[in-house]
Amino acid sequence: MLILVFILGACMASFIMCLADRLNRQISLGGFSFCNNCQHRLSWLISAGHCRYCRCSVPIHYPAFEACFGMLFIIFSDQFDWLVLICLLLLLSCEDLYDRRAHAAILYPVIIFELVCHWQLETVASLLAITLFCSFFICYRQSMGSGDLPVLLILYLMVEPITFATTIMLASLSAIVGCCVKKVQILPLIPFLSAAVIVVKLFVYNN
């Protein structure tokens, strides 16, 4: 059973990364994975990391993410809401990495659903405060993207306050280190938030 769950998670990761790549390049969403150089169908495992037609290398991060996702599906197999969340976060992270634009609006129905299921005046006030705070950095400082806001809102609704605070701290520190290493002033934030919340959930405040 665990093997089937692992395979399902790996397949979902492969599909999501392929979807994000094709949305970014605005090409057809149908068909199997193919080599970006010669357009032939390929599989990283079968091709041993290279296209067998043009010998162009296939990035190793594809099978690495598939393996990690397979493990996450096993870990969160009894938490359907988290399986949905990590799938959405992977899609948005890939989009943010590709061209700094993510279809984060797909999170708003989930945000509304979570808000209705856990309706509290304090929660609404907190979401409003987060929105106003982020709007300052999005509109005036331009140090955040508009897609970062719904990610922060859904994370606040999905995790405990201490987990949320730790996630923000870890993501911010990681982004700062990344900027220093790459010698740039800004990096896509969604991948850092996504990785941070999973790390915190698994290793810090695992319930």
Side-chain angles (χ1 to χ4, degrees):
M1 182 62 182
L2 291 180
I3 295 178
L4 293 178
V5 175
F6 179 88
I7 293 174
L8 175 61
C11 290
M12 282 298 300
S14 177
F15 169 76
I16 291 170
M17 289 188 290
C18 179
L19 175 63
D21 179 55
R22 295 188 184 191
L23 287 173
N24 174 58
R25 293 191 290 150
Q26 298 181 346
I27 60 178
S28 173
L29 301 181
F32 295 94
S33 298
F34 56 84
C35 175
N36 293 332
N37 184 51
C38 66
Q39 312 303 313
H40 279 94
R41 178 180 171 181
L42 56 75
S43 165
W44 193 94
L45 184 60
I46 296 176
S47 304
H50 292 82
C51 175
R52 60 179 177 175
Y53 297 97
C54 67
R55 303 308 299 169
C56 182
S57 63
V58 181
I60 195 173
H61 69 263
Y62 286 109
F65 273 104
E66 291 169 6
C68 290
F69 231 63
M71 293 302 300
L72 288 175
F73 260 58
I74 292 177
I75 295 171
F76 295 112
S77 59
D78 60 342
Q79 302 178 53
F80 180 75
D81 55 342
W82 268 88
L83 291 180
V84 173
L85 178 62
I86 61 176
C87 287
L88 292 173
L89 290 179
L90 177 60
L91 173 63
L92 298 178
S93 296
C94 290
E95 288 190 311
D96 205 16
L97 284 170
Y98 288 147
D99 63 358
R100 307 281 179 91
R101 291 181 297 177
H103 293 83
I106 61 176
L107 292 178
Y108 284 115
V110 185
I111 293 172
I112 294 173
F113 175 79
E114 288 290 328
L115 190 58
V116 170
C117 291
H118 307 93
W119 177 264
Q120 287 184 339
L121 185 60
E122 294 83 356
T123 302
V124 176
S126 298
L127 292 180
L128 180 59
I130 293 173
T131 301
L132 293 175
F133 181 79
C134 292
S135 297
F136 170 77
F137 288 96
I138 294 172
C139 299
Y140 294 97
R141 295 294 300 274
Q142 296 183 347
S143 57
M144 290 180 62
S146 59
D148 299 331
L149 175 58
V151 173
L152 288 169
L153 295 180
I154 193 61
L155 292 184
Y156 180 81
L157 290 171
M158 293 287 291
V159 301
E160 300 78 7
I162 185 64
T163 304
F164 180 75
T166 308
T167 296
I168 298 302
M169 181 180 67
L170 179 59
S172 300
L173 290 175
S174 301
I176 291 172
V177 172
C179 287
C180 293
V181 171
K182 289 183 172 292
K183 298 181 179 180
V184 296
Q185 293 185 343
I186 190 170
L187 285 173
L189 183 59
I190 295 179
F192 290 101
L193 289 171
S194 303
V197 73
I198 292 174
V199 169
V200 173
K201 180 72 174 177
L202 290 177
F203 301 108
V204 182
Y205 301 108
N206 188 13
N207 295 321

